Amino acid sequence: MTARTRPDLESIPTYVPGRNFPGAIKLASNETTLGPLPSVAKAVAEAVELAHRYPDNRSTELVAALAASVGVAADHVAVGCGSVALCQELAQITCNAGDEVLYAWRSFEMYPIVTQVSGAVAVTAPLTSGHVHDLDALAAAVTDRTRLIFVCNPNNPTGTAVGRRALEKFLDAVPAHILVVLDEAYFEYMRFPADDFPDGVAIGRTRPNVVVLRTFSKAYGLAGLRVGYAVGDPSVISVLGKVHVPFSVNVAAQAAAIASLDAQAELLDRTDAIIGERARVRDGLLAAGYAVPESQANFVWLPLGTQAARFSTESAEAGVLVRPYGVDGVRVTVADPHENDAFLEFATTGPGSAGFAAATRSETQT
């Protein structure tokens, strides 16, 4: 007889990372192609020499650096093993069995997982026909059982984002006792007009029920070291410490994040090249007849519907790995120019390209 585990775990999906195989161009995981800066690599090497010691469980130095960077007091910041770990912790501190977690769909694949693991019930609101958060529909889905709301902005996997005014209107409609998480993993890739820029930290300064999540995995190029952070009211941040897995942010991750903040300007300058390539890739797809929503992230979304799996398979056969999402679409990371060229060649001149393009138009129209 085997040991008993929770029977409901059978219904919980397992997170599936983007595929990889030798020699393929990997555009499936939204990674940066540039490695850490030399100063960051040096900080990591020095930190490894202290690997026989436990890391600072409170990440004190990193928290102080983050607080200074975003302009808040240190008690407004928590650090986690990637922002996804903080998603799990936020569900744990807000939900009991039967409580509701609300989010748009399709959105980040970990939301349903952390919801079910915490024993809560997932409630979803559909995206608009333009693959953007329908914040009115999300607000209308709030009930007296809602405890937590995730708003992924920019949204993963569609890349779309909503502006500050729309977010503030939505937050005004949400009861103050419900925690709203603005998940800004791709914050550094947004290019909004200044008067409507959706900076979650700024928006949340006067809203104690708002928590902002950001990460070092994307624009800072530290996906392999796993470090993210939350910015919110001290009443929420302090409770996160109750469910935090001790020592889960290792010494190398803390050192790399601090060094990256020291070189923040140089690292964020790198995003400009991605933004330029993002526009070029989207323009190439639009010219070939694809319907591609405007992206504010480091990827583009192809709403291929039932053709998503076939597109992904044929793209892999052409040597380019992309990320399919059920019968909804395919997400394609924007990478180096030659890698983007390889993808565009497949998507725009391949034998099935006209049919794939037509599928995106059909899905967008519906």
Side-chain angles (χ1 to χ4, degrees), residues 264-298:
Q264 187 177 55
E266 183 177 357
L267 284 165
L268 295 186
D269 280 347
R270 290 181 173 185
T271 63
D272 290 336
I274 295 296
I275 303 310
E277 281 296 293
R278 180 177 74 191
R280 186 176 73 87
V281 169
R282 181 170 183 256
D283 287 348
L285 292 167
L286 291 173
Y290 286 85
V292 186
E294 183 177 359
S295 175
Q296 293 286 341
N298 67 333

Side-chain angles (χ1 to χ4, degrees), residues 17-346:
R19 293 184 299 166
N20 193 16
F21 61 77
I25 295 173
K26 187 183 180 186
L27 305 182
S29 297
N30 297 345
E31 300 152 321
T32 61
T33 57
L34 297 173
L37 295 173
S39 60
V40 177
K42 179 182 178 183
V44 170
E46 292 174 352
V48 169
E49 295 179 2
L50 299 174
H52 61 298
R53 303 292 187 188
Y54 284 108
D56 174 6
N57 190 47
R58 295 181 180 274
S59 301
T60 307
E61 187 178 355
L62 175 56
V63 164
L66 284 166
S69 176
V70 299
V72 299
D75 60 356
H76 288 251
V77 179
V79 176
C81 184
S83 58
V84 67
L86 291 161
C87 287
Q88 177 76 65
E89 293 171 6
L90 287 162
Q92 289 177 307
I93 67 170
T94 54
C95 296
N96 289 308
D99 289 336
E100 292 177 353
V101 177
L102 175 61
Y103 49 87
W105 196 253
R106 183 175 282 272
S107 193
F108 185 32
E109 286 188 294
M110 282 303 298
Y111 297 157
I113 296 175
V114 301
T115 297
Q116 290 181 258
V117 167
S118 67
V121 176
V123 176
T124 62
L127 300 172
T128 70
S129 59
H131 314 286
V132 183
H133 271 73
D134 186 336
L135 294 178
D136 290 338
L138 206 61
V142 172
T143 73
D144 59 1
R145 294 170 59 192
T146 306
R147 298 292 179 268
L148 181 65
I149 303 174
F150 286 109
V151 179
C152 191
N153 199 49
N155 186 45
N156 178 13
T158 64
T160 55
V162 294
R164 176 181 57 80
R165 287 186 289 271
L167 274 178
E168 289 180 335
K169 178 185 174 184
F170 167 72
L171 292 169
D172 287 342
V174 175
H177 68 274
I178 298 174
L179 189 66
V180 181
V181 179
L182 302 181
D183 187 347
E184 297 183 342
Y186 300 93
F187 173 80
E188 293 83 3
Y189 297 103
M190 285 198 291
R191 297 296 187 270
F192 264 77
D195 64 349
D196 199 33
F197 191 87
D199 181 340
V201 173
I203 292 170
R205 288 188 191 280
T206 58
R207 301 175 187 272
N209 68 323
V210 171
V211 171
V212 178
L213 297 183
R214 293 181 185 167
T215 183
F216 286 88
S217 294
K218 308 304 179 184
Y220 290 90
L222 300 181
L225 288 176
R226 313 305 305 128
V227 55
Y229 61 100
V231 181
D233 190 80
S235 63
V236 176
I237 297 300
S238 63
V239 180
L240 280 174
K242 302 278 188 179
V243 296
H244 176 71
V245 176
F247 310 118
S248 57
V249 184
N250 66 67
V251 292
Q254 292 184 39
I258 292 167
S260 293
L261 287 174
D262 289 339
Q264 187 177 55
E266 183 177 357
L267 284 165
L268 295 186
D269 280 347
R270 290 181 173 185
T271 63
D272 290 336
I274 295 296
I275 303 310
E277 281 296 293
R278 180 177 74 191
R280 186 176 73 87
V281 169
R282 181 170 183 256
D283 287 348
L285 292 167
L286 291 173
Y290 286 85
V292 186
E294 183 177 359
S295 175
Q296 293 286 341
N298 67 333
F299 53 86
V300 295
W301 173 249
L302 302 183
L304 284 154
T306 57
Q307 293 297 304
R310 180 181 156 216
F311 184 96
S312 174
T313 298
E314 293 187 13
S315 180
E317 290 171 353
V320 181
L321 300 179
V322 296
R323 181 73 175 267
Y325 285 82
V327 294
D328 291 326
V330 168
R331 189 190 71 193
V332 185
T333 306
V334 175
D336 291 339
H338 73 280
E339 295 174 317
N340 299 330
D341 287 343
F343 166 71
L344 285 171
E345 181 178 0
F346 159 74

